[in-house]
Amino acid sequence: MKIAVLAVQGAFAEHRRKLEALGAECVELRKRTDLQEAFDGLVLPGGESTVQGKLLKELGMFDDLKMRIADGLPVLATCAGLILLAEQISNDEHTYFGTLPVTVKRNAYGRQLGSFRAESTFKGIGKIPMTFIRAPYIERVGAGAEVLAEMDGKIVAVRYGRQLGLSFHPELEADNQVHELFLELCRADCSDDRRTTLKNA
Ligand code: GLN
């Protein structure tokens, strides 16, 4: 099982550590030629979505990744990653991959509640700790997207096909269950023989 972790900016090392601890192999995506390796899933980490979106385009990785995600590549997207996937951002004119039918609000918890930790229920797992850092939340969920978690009445995790979008940072917790769920999704996908490579990257 090989997982690609977008590593142009942000909290990618934490995801890598966790995935490797769970037995997955990781490849860091830093430049276009990194896309030549076969991988079974993709992690879009937290960080700054505007910077990540810009770098993805400048580095020539944006279109290829968008095509693969739309084509069913399993994705775990946290915080800025969720913003990159969202079809719409209510307080920003930009959109990026737009493959996840949700509207998100960036920096939605305001300055005072910029960063906090809490517990809430994640569908199929149960109660888990959640760390929010200048996090978005999900204001609208489109057809086919399933709500996986809410916090204080706000949607903070969704699934749409093989895309998991989370407002919070499971890579910062001792708990492994969200990453385990993602790897299960990748394993199921892998056995469907949908592993993708980019021939002319
Ligand atoms: N506030 C960041 C953004 O808008 C996301 C924060 C994070 O990923 N922890 O991109």
Side-chain angles (χ1 to χ4, degrees):
M1 176 77 50
K2 196 182 273 185
I3 306 299
V5 182
L6 181 67
V8 295
Q9 191 267 341
F12 53 87
E14 292 81 354
H15 278 288
R16 180 176 188 158
R17 259 198 298 279
K18 195 167 267 296
L19 290 164
E20 286 177 344
L22 292 172
E25 221 185 304
C26 289
V27 51
E28 292 188 351
L29 301 182
R30 296 172 180 275
K31 54 186 188 310
R32 184 168 164 76
T33 49
D34 294 334
L35 295 171
Q36 284 170 345
E37 263 191 79
F39 49 84
D40 307 295
L42 171 68
V43 171
L44 299 175
E48 202 51 47
S49 53
T50 46
V51 177
Q52 294 181 2
K54 189 165 175 278
L55 286 172
L56 277 167
K57 286 181 186 159
E58 284 175 7
L59 294 164
M61 293 197 278
F62 185 85
D63 291 337
D64 300 327
L65 287 176
K66 178 175 171 155
M67 196 180 67
R68 292 191 207 204
I69 298 167
D71 199 36
L73 177 72
V75 187
L76 172 62
T78 57
C79 208
L82 164 66
I83 296 168
L84 291 186
L85 287 187
E87 196 173 75
Q88 205 177 4
I89 305 167
S90 64
N91 55 350
D92 196 317
E93 65 200 10
H94 296 99
T95 50
Y96 301 94
F97 293 126
T99 52
L100 185 67
V102 297
T103 301
V104 298
K105 182 174 180 187
R106 287 185 67 198
N107 301 316
Y109 293 92
R111 271 170 183 272
Q112 281 191 323
L113 253 185
S115 300
F116 62 100
R117 194 158 181 268
E119 271 204 343
S120 194
T121 303
F122 195 101
K123 195 167 178 183
I125 293 180
K127 259 204 162 103
I128 53 167
M130 298 178 180
T131 294
F132 296 81
I133 304 171
R134 292 173 293 107
Y137 59 63
I138 297 161
E139 292 182 317
R140 177 197 63 96
V141 174
E146 180 187 11
V147 174
L148 297 179
E150 292 184 34
M151 160 73 67
D152 290 339
K154 306 291 186 201
I155 300 167
V156 294
V158 293
R159 174 181 174 170
Y160 176 71
R162 297 184 182 90
Q163 299 175 60
L164 295 174
L166 277 53
S167 298
F168 55 95
H169 289 269
E171 77 282 8
L172 301 179
E173 309 293 346
D175 190 282
N176 290 331
Q177 294 177 91
V178 171
H179 286 79
E180 278 168 357
L181 186 85
F182 170 60
L183 289 177
E184 264 171 45
L185 203 68
C186 299
R187 231 169 264 129
D189 188 50
C190 191
S191 62
D192 285 351
D193 202 26
R194 300 191 81 266
R195 208 172 204 223
T196 53
T197 44
L198 189 70
K199 279 135 209 116
N200 51 0

